């Protein structure tokens, strides 16, 4: 048998350790294999933009490299994390190999749908992301992910739970009378919840030290790590970052990883998301007691083998008064909205309210699900030692002061499980499992390829009640120069092409409107367009406002003698679709989708009616509801300064100023002049012959096509 193992890289990390364990197992089983990465196959590494290479070319490069190394084509292809959103081409390569009848193992360690929103745009449009057939087998690290896929339609016989192998490594136990040293054997990336490690160092008994093994390798992850490192230096807290090979755990001791493990009294974990959770089992293999945050989907797997994973808590609770519900909501509004844009999910409904209700229970919130600035504020509050009894540990049904729980847990110096209990995770069992999967595939007949719906996986993973700040996308860098934090659009003539002229007597339209009214069960007037025009003039005259607006539903109820409050939105939509049909402005949708994935807040300020948002189609959900200001909702129309002041106030809720906001419109006098007067930066769209209106203005930007405008967001 010949096997080709495929991954983006072999950099230091969890997947690399899994591949190393697999090659050891395959070698012991006498199975010839090769590991292909971006180092030996161009285009296989992290590839957000494919550039000059195509999926066909990458497929052929993989075939050539595998055949050269194995003296023939592989019998089985084993891919790791093909759907993580790190390489735009890899899912298409999988599709091509599957269509050719190749035998595939798709091993999923992590999912873009589980806390990696910035990865998702690279796979969002792929409807063949998760193929299955008897010749395709999925390997998952835990039962949670296995159940997720089988519930979405993956046949159970095509999937296996394949946990990583663990080897017991002897380590000298620490002296029982030494002060606690809590060692986190991880890289300090965001989901490891570094703030909670800092909190534990504050709440632990005097003399306790905490140490984090290494800094992140990814430069994008360094700012959060370094912010915490600087924070603890400022406040002189007993925790060290990036300690391995830089600092010694004790006088005269080496600084390498094994030395830190040897001197540690405990392993500690505060991670909020793991596919396998190596720290949980590695602590047992190293003979170290584990303390920290429970991840039930992992510890439930361990419990099936009789393993008690450690002395763990489910949450660290702090009073919402320490944060402020308004401040928490503001953070949630910005971060959750940005995530949903990356995942291309609608902003309709009440996701903010649902997420907030899930976070705040009985006046308390879990410290581990707070953004870093709020975590730091809580830690600073604990400088007052009288406050240290306030944070509570919830462990199962028990709630008690966190400091008391931690002191008791650290007083225990023996692990909660023995090394013998790791037998189910032994390299020998791993070898049996992986070779069994390969053998099953080699006997499988060719069959039709079907697909697990990618949208079903996304819907199961991404829902407001499961939102987690530490698994959300990073906030964009502060604006500089010509960059904007918010973009607000006019609609008609800017995002939509629609007939000009507004509501006027229209004898050509009257027969169509009469027919729509009859079909809806109403007796139409002789000239519905004239009746509507007259009603508008009456209401505008009575409005007492220089820029009045009226809801068309109010007018049609009046004309047709329909009871006040009756919902006739559908009727208005039907009339306007027939009388004033609108179509998308070419190029606008693509720009809006790009902006929505960038973290920029998007909104609308336009003269509009109840039929306007539906006319925008799918992009309507990309605009923030509170930044969507439509004239009919407020009974005033542009160029009223009140609408632009309203927009200013709502942006202030996001800490965004008018000078950080671009307003885009097509009308000099109704869009550009009032927006400029309110302090907004402005862009005048001149790219459609029916859009541009007369008038003098001085926009910051004038553009004819939407691609041209994109340069101002680079």
């Amino acid at each position: 048998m010949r096997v080709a193992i495929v991954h983006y890289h072999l950099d230091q990390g969890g997947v690399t350790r899994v591949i190393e364990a697999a090659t050891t197992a395959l070698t012991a089983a006498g199975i010839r294999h090769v590991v292909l990465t971006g180092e030996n196959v161009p285009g296989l590494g992290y590839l957000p933009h494919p550039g000059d290479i195509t999926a066909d070319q990458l497929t052929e490069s993989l075939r050539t490299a595998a055949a050269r190394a194995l003296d023939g084509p592989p019998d089985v292809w084993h891919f790791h994390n093909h759907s993580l959103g790190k390489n735009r081409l890899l899912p298409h390569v999988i599709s091509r190999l599957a269509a050719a009848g190749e035998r595939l193992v798709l091993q999923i360690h992590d999912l873009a749908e589980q806390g990696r929103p910035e990865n998702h745009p690279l796979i969002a449009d792929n409807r063949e992301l998760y193929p299955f057939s008897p010749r395709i087998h999925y390997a998952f690290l835990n039962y949670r992910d296995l159940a997720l896929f089988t519930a979405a339609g993956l046949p159970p016989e095509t999937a296996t739970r394949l946990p990583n192998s663990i080897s017991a490594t002897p380590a000298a136990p620490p002296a029982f009378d030494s002060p606690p040293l809590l060692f986190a054997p991880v890289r300090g990336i965001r989901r490891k919840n570094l703030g909670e490690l800092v909190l534990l160092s504050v709440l632990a008994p005097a003399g306790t030290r905490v140490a984090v093994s290494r800094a992140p390798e990814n430069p994008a992850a360094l700012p959060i790590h370094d912010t915490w490192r600087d924070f603890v230096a400022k406040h002189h807290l007993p925790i060290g970052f990036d300690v391995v090979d830089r600092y010694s755990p004790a006088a005269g001791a080496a600084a390498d990883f094994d030395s830190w493990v040897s001197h540690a009294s405990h392993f500690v974990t505060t991670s909020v998301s793991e596919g396998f959770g190596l720290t949980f089992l590695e602590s047992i293999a190293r003979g170290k007691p584990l303390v920290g945050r429970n991840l039930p989907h992992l510890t439930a797997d361990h419990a099936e083998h009789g393993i008690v994973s450690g002395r763990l808590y489910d949450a660290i609770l702090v009073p919402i008064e320490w944060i402020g519900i308004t401040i928490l909501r503001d953070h949630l509004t910005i971060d959750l909205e940005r995530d949903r844009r990356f995942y291309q999910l609608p902003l309709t409904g009440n996701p903010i309210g649902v997420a907030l209700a899930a976070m705040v229970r009985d006046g308390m919130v879990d410290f581990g699900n707070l953004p870093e600035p709020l975590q730091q504020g809580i830690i600073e509050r604990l400088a007052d030692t009288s406050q240290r009894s306030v944070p509570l540990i919830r462990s199962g049904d028990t709630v008690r002061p966190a400091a008391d729980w931690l002191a008791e847990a650290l007083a225990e110096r023996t692990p909660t499980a023995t090394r013998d209990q790791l037998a189910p995770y032994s390299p020998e069992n791993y070898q049996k499992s992986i070779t069994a999967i390969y053998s099953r595939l080699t006997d499988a007949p060719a069959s039709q390829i079907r697909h697990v719906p990618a949208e079903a996986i996304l819907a199961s993973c991404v829902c407001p009640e499961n939102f987690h700040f530490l698994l959300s996308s990073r906030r964009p860098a502060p604006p500089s120069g010509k960059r904007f934090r918010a973009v607000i659009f006019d609609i008609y003539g800017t995002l939509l092409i629609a007939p000009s002229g507004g509501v006027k007597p229209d004898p050509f339209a009257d027969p169509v409107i009469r027919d729509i009214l009859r079909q809806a069960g109403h007796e139409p007037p002789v000239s519905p367009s004239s009746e509507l025009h007259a009603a508008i003039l009456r209401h505008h005259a009575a409005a007492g406002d220089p820029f009045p607006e009226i809801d068309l539903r109010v007018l049609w109820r009046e004309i047709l003698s329909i009871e006040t409050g009756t919902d006739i939105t559908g009727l208005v939509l039907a009339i306007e679709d027939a009388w004033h049909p609108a179509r998308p402005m070419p190029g606008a949708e693509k720009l809006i989708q790009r902006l929505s994935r960038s973290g920029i807040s998007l909104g609308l300020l336009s003269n509009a009616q109840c039929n306007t948002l539906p006319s925008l189609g799918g992009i309507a959900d990309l605009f923030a509801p509170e930044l969507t200001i439509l004239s009919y909702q407020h009974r005033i129309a542009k160029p009223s300064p009140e609408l632009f002041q309203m927009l200013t106030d709502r942006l202030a809720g996001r800490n965004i100023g008018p000078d950080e906001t671009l307003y885009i419109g097509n009308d000099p006098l109704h869009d550009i002049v009032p927006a400029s007067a309110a302090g907004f930066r402005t862009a005048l769209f001149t790219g459609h012959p029916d859009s541009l209106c007369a008038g003098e203005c001085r926009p910051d930007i004038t553009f004819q096509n939407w691609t041209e405008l994109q340069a101002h967001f680079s």
Side-chain angles (χ1 to χ4, degrees):
M1 182 185 297
R2 294 185 290 250
V3 176
I5 300 172
V6 185
H7 187 49
Y8 308 108
H9 58 76
L10 286 178
D11 295 340
Q12 191 174 47
V15 177
T16 296
R17 291 181 65 175
V18 172
I19 292 174
E20 289 172 348
T23 62
T24 300
L26 296 181
T27 300
I31 295 175
R32 192 169 183 179
H33 59 282
V34 63
V35 179
L36 302 177
T37 70
E39 293 184 1
N40 49 38
V41 180
L44 182 55
Y46 289 170
L47 194 69
H49 307 292
D52 295 331
I53 193 170
T54 67
D56 286 331
Q57 291 170 330
L58 181 54
T59 303
E60 288 309 307
S61 295
L62 283 168
R63 287 186 184 276
T64 300
R68 184 183 301 120
L70 298 171
D71 296 326
D75 299 295
V76 176
W77 293 88
H78 189 148
F79 286 84
H80 291 266
N81 273 346
H82 79 284
S83 63
L84 188 57
K86 290 292 191 178
N87 184 307
R88 191 181 294 273
L89 296 180
L90 198 56
H92 300 287
V93 170
I94 299 293
S95 295
R96 283 157 172 77
L97 293 175
E102 299 281 6
R103 295 166 174 85
L104 308 175
V105 174
L106 303 180
Q107 185 164 354
I108 293 179
H109 305 257
D110 304 293
L111 290 165
E113 298 92 335
Q114 291 176 342
R116 289 167 174 81
E118 290 144 318
N119 293 11
H120 190 259
L122 267 69
I123 60 171
D125 298 328
N126 194 318
R127 293 293 174 263
E128 299 181 349
L129 192 61
Y130 300 115
F132 67 86
S133 80
R135 286 192 172 182
I136 302 173
H137 200 87
Y138 283 77
F140 299 98
L141 297 179
N142 58 70
Y143 282 124
R144 178 200 64 182
D145 293 346
L146 175 63
L148 168 68
F149 273 75
T150 53
L154 182 67
E157 64 272 17
T158 65
T160 299
R161 174 177 171 262
L162 183 65
N164 299 334
S165 64
I166 299 291
S167 298
T169 305
F176 274 66
D177 58 352
S178 63
L181 170 57
L182 281 59
F183 184 56
V186 298
R187 289 199 176 275
I189 58 177
R190 193 183 195 198
R191 72 171 183 268
K192 301 302 181 182
N193 191 8
L194 302 181
E196 192 157 295
L197 288 171
V198 178
L199 178 68
L200 294 180
S201 76
V202 173
L203 296 175
T208 301
R209 293 182 295 152
V210 181
V212 183
S213 176
R214 298 186 186 275
E217 287 187 331
N218 184 351
L222 275 173
I224 289 176
H225 172 275
D226 292 351
T227 295
W228 280 115
R229 182 194 60 197
D230 296 343
F231 178 86
V232 301
K234 174 184 176 182
H235 294 282
H236 307 289
L237 301 178
I239 177 171
F241 288 90
D242 193 20
V243 298
V244 169
D245 296 328
R246 298 179 69 238
Y247 305 105
S248 172
D256 61 20
F257 182 86
D258 286 337
S259 179
W260 276 96
V261 171
S262 177
H263 285 81
S265 64
H266 301 75
F267 274 17
V268 60
T269 177
T270 52
S271 179
V272 297
S273 177
E274 297 287 345
F276 181 65
L278 185 61
T279 300
F280 288 83
L281 297 181
E282 191 173 30
S283 65
I284 300 170
R286 295 276 190 166
K288 300 291 178 178
L290 176 71
V291 296
R293 178 171 287 268
N294 185 27
L295 292 178
H297 71 279
L298 299 182
T299 55
D301 286 2
H302 304 161
E304 285 199 351
H305 303 296
I307 295 173
V308 177
S309 306
R311 297 175 179 89
L312 307 173
Y313 53 80
D314 298 303
I316 299 182
L317 304 175
V318 294
I320 187 62
E321 288 82 3
W322 280 18
I323 302 162
I325 192 71
T326 301
I327 292 174
L328 181 60
R329 181 187 290 275
D330 287 347
H331 280 272
L332 186 59
T333 298
I334 295 170
D335 289 14
L336 186 147
E337 178 186 306
R338 185 175 57 252
D339 269 17
R340 293 183 79 80
R341 286 175 175 164
F342 275 113
Y343 286 124
Q344 299 184 14
L345 293 172
L347 294 168
T348 52
N350 184 27
I352 306 301
V354 171
L356 193 64
M359 283 184 185
V360 183
R361 302 286 181 87
D362 300 322
M364 306 292 279
V365 63
D366 185 2
F367 179 93
N369 190 4
L370 291 175
E372 289 83 359
L374 299 187
Q375 288 186 338
Q376 290 177 2
I378 289 169
I379 293 169
E380 288 174 336
R381 179 185 285 262
L382 294 174
D384 179 356
T385 55
S386 67
Q387 299 291 305
R388 294 186 183 179
S389 62
V390 175
L392 304 175
I393 284 286
R394 177 168 57 79
S395 181
D397 296 328
T398 302
V399 177
R400 56 184 299 198
D404 294 348
W405 182 95
L406 188 56
E408 185 176 296
L410 295 185
E412 296 288 345
R413 298 292 179 100
T414 55
T416 54
T418 67
R419 299 181 191 183
D420 292 341
Q421 290 179 283
L422 294 177
Y425 299 92
S426 69
E428 294 76 18
N429 278 343
Y430 182 87
Q431 177 183 318
K432 291 177 184 177
S433 297
I434 194 65
T435 54
I437 292 172
Y438 292 163
S439 297
R440 194 180 313 148
L441 284 176
T442 57
D443 296 334
S447 183
Q448 177 187 2
I449 307 298
R450 292 183 290 165
H451 298 86
V452 176
E455 60 274 16
I457 301 299
L458 181 64
S460 296
C461 293
V462 183
C463 46
E465 56 268 32
N466 292 338
F467 175 80
H468 203 294
F469 279 106
L470 301 186
L471 301 177
S472 65
S473 57
R474 293 182 296 272
R475 294 198 177 198
S480 61
K482 59 186 178 184
R483 293 189 63 186
F484 303 100
R485 297 179 62 200
V487 181
I488 312 298
F489 296 84
D490 169 56
I491 298 177
Y492 291 109
T494 303
L495 300 182
L496 293 176
I497 303 170
S500 59
V503 176
K504 293 181 180 178
D506 188 347
F508 292 101
D510 280 336
V512 176
I513 301 174
R514 284 198 298 269
D515 186 53
I516 292 171
L517 293 174
R518 288 194 188 96
Q519 290 183 27
H522 304 290
E523 184 61 33
V526 175
S527 176
S529 64
S530 297
E531 291 285 345
L532 185 63
H533 182 244
I536 288 174
L537 294 178
R538 290 196 304 274
H539 279 270
H540 282 186
D545 190 285
F547 307 109
E549 181 68 285
I550 187 68
D551 188 335
L552 286 178
R553 293 172 296 186
V554 172
L555 300 180
W556 281 116
R557 282 196 289 262
E558 180 181 300
I559 293 167
L560 300 173
S561 300
I562 298 173
E563 183 178 351
T564 300
T566 303
D567 185 10
I568 59 168
T569 301
L571 177 62
V572 173
L573 263 64
I575 293 172
E576 290 302 307
D577 284 347
W579 190 7
H580 302 116
R583 64 185 191 276
M585 187 67 69
E589 180 175 350
K590 189 173 182 180
L591 174 69
I592 290 169
Q593 289 174 337
R594 290 188 66 177
L595 293 178
S596 74
R597 295 192 292 265
S598 72
I600 293 176
S601 296
L602 301 181
L604 300 165
L605 192 159
S606 183
N607 290 345
Q609 289 290 332
C610 65
N611 63 294
T612 303
L613 283 182
S615 298
L616 290 173
I619 64 170
D621 291 332
L622 300 179
F623 300 100
E626 83 275 15
L627 299 182
T628 297
I629 299 173
L630 305 180
S631 59
Y632 81 99
Q633 298 168 332
H634 305 284
R635 306 297 190 265
I636 49 177
K638 292 185 307 181
S640 173
E642 289 186 48
L643 293 178
F644 290 91
Q645 182 58 51
M646 191 180 303
L647 176 61
T648 299
D649 294 341
R650 294 187 181 184
L651 285 166
R654 297 178 172 226
N655 197 29
I656 299 174
D659 60 330
E660 299 173 298
T661 303
L662 183 68
Y663 182 82
I664 303 175
N666 67 297
D667 190 320
L669 300 182
H670 286 78
D671 293 330
I672 305 304
V673 170
S676 297
F680 294 97
R681 298 169 72 181
T682 57
L684 178 65
F685 174 57
T686 64
H688 193 275
D690 297 334
S691 294
L692 186 58
C693 303
E696 294 293 327
C697 65
R698 290 186 175 181
D700 296 285
I701 301 167
T702 301
F703 68 102
Q704 290 189 317
N705 65 75
W706 294 88
T707 302
E708 176 187 350
L709 184 62
Q710 174 61 39
H712 294 273
F713 300 97
S714 300

